[in-house]
Amino acid sequence: MIPDIFIQLAVALGLGLLVGLQRERVDPAIAGIRTFALISLFGAVSAQLAKVYGGWLIGVGFLVTAGLVTAGNLVRLQNREAEPGQTTEFAALLMYGLGAWVVTGSMAVPIVLTGIVAVLLHLREPLHQLVGKIGEKDLRAIMQFVLISLVILPVLPDHNLGPYGALNPYQAWWMVVLIVGLSLAGYVAYKLFGATAGTVLAGILGGMISSTATTATYARRSRETPDLARLAALVVMLASTVLYARVLLEVAAVARGRFAELAPPLAAMLGWMALLSLAAWLAGRDGNGEPPEPGNPAELKAALVFGALYVTVLLAVAFARDRFGNAGLYTVAALSGLTDVDAITLSTARLVQSARLDAETGWKAILLASLTNLGFKAGIVAALGSRGLQARIAVLFGAAILGGGLIVWLW
């Protein structure tokens, strides 16, 4: 067996080589592949010596590393070789610390952090481009998400209140953070790729942001330009398929302990929707489509509306189950799914996780809500879309609802 000390030194050396490889290609003047390897190895050796002579040695090694990096930068400035920077310098200090961490703690954390550092360094240009694309509206969305997640959430009480003990302010707002976070991820993806998105990406982004809004937008476009009917059907179908992937993510986040019981029928529905999307793609893959311009997903007003909707659904589910049993729950699921699948998904998954609802009833309620949501979007297409789109969506959504019904009946 290889002694632990050699494994630790080898890991520290490998981490330094990884980051040094990236720096060697971009900015090797201060530290390249060899220097970064030596820095992380120096951190590991300092941590090994600290086990014998005391932890102060790690601090001394850090100061020595900082001094050498600073001296190298001063020489560059005196020779006017380049403008002063901080990225390589901070990366060098961080790699010293990670090299020491390999010895003093679990190796998993420094390995993961080194991977993150390497990716951040490599993505310099894309990150700068992203910042360049961020406008005042986008910055406001990010700051409002910070307000929702890091300011409001921590101060809410984490205990059950209200009738049936169904209302927990902290958990309810955490659901708001989850949904706003998912929508914000789609919004950021739109800002990065929306202007040049192809048909498939348009449908995926539409499903991440709002499948209902995507359906309405492409229905209007198909009426204005009837030749877009095949393309619009594909985008609408893809957006509705992504809805089921989103549902699975929400179930995993809220009911991780019961995910294996809830996920299979929902995953089967996702697979069926993917097959129907493939059929729509084969029929309408020609052409490109740009996803609809989304609104700010982190608006405080929208977050409050969803929070109120979630709490209403949660209380309605508790009341319906108490008075009418599972039949009442299915009624609430069908009605809430007309406008929003997220609220019933999160509330039902939470009940299953807390053992207040069995898994079979839970996934059936979620699936029923998603099927009524498909029916609602079919109504949008019927009201706003062209005849060509209406015919295609009738076939695709009809097949989807039939497949969902068979899953509920036969599973």
Side-chain angles (χ1 to χ4, degrees), residues 31-100:
I33 186 169
R34 294 181 301 164
T35 306
F36 266 95
L38 291 172
I39 288 172
S40 60
L41 196 58
F42 180 43
V45 171
S46 299
Q48 288 287 354
L49 293 174
K51 293 181 178 181
V52 179
Y53 299 106
W56 59 271
L57 268 174
I58 298 178
V60 171
F62 181 84
L63 293 176
V64 170
T65 303
L68 292 174
V69 170
T70 302
N73 214 7
L74 289 175
V75 171
R76 291 182 70 199
L77 291 176
Q78 290 175 355
N79 296 333
R80 298 181 180 180
E81 294 179 7
E83 293 296 324
Q86 297 179 332
T87 302
T88 301
E89 292 82 344
F90 273 107
L93 297 178
L94 182 59
M95 290 313 299
Y96 171 85
L98 293 177

Side-chain angles (χ1 to χ4, degrees), residues 10 16 18 37 48 64 66 98 101 103 112 115 124 149 206 228 232 237 239 258 282-283 286 340 345 361 372:
L18 174 62
Q48 288 287 354
V64 170
L98 293 177
W101 196 343
V103 175
V112 171
R124 176 179 180 273
S149 59
L228 287 177
M237 195 65 202
R258 308 292 297 277
L282 292 174
D286 297 331
D340 187 275
T345 298
T361 302
T372 59

Side-chain angles (χ1 to χ4, degrees), residues 3-22:
D4 288 344
I5 184 173
F6 290 111
I7 295 176
Q8 293 166 348
L9 292 175
V11 170
L13 177 63
L15 298 182
L17 288 171
L18 174 62
V19 175
L21 176 64
Q22 196 283 331

Side-chain angles (χ1 to χ4, degrees), residues 247-335:
V247 164
L248 286 170
L249 285 174
E250 293 168 6
V251 171
V254 177
R256 184 172 54 185
R258 308 292 297 277
F259 182 76
E261 301 172 67
L262 289 168
L266 298 174
M269 186 63 189
L270 172 61
W272 176 235
M273 292 290 290
L275 288 175
L276 293 174
S277 295
L278 176 61
W281 179 76
L282 292 174
R285 54 188 167 180
D286 297 331
N288 291 312
E290 183 179 342
E293 174 72 35
N296 181 354
E299 285 284 2
L300 187 59
K301 179 181 178 181
L304 290 172
V305 169
F306 177 80
L309 176 62
Y310 172 76
V311 170
T312 300
V313 170
L314 199 63
L315 293 174
V317 167
F319 173 79
R321 287 190 66 243
D322 180 63
R323 294 296 182 90
F324 308 107
N326 289 343
L329 170 62
Y330 294 144
T331 301
V332 172
L335 293 175

Side-chain angles (χ1 to χ4, degrees), residues 195-222:
T196 58
T199 304
V200 173
L201 188 55
I204 293 173
L205 292 179
M208 291 177 65
I209 299 169
S210 172
S211 62
T212 302
T214 300
T215 300
T217 298
Y218 278 89
R220 293 192 191 96
R221 290 182 182 180
S222 72

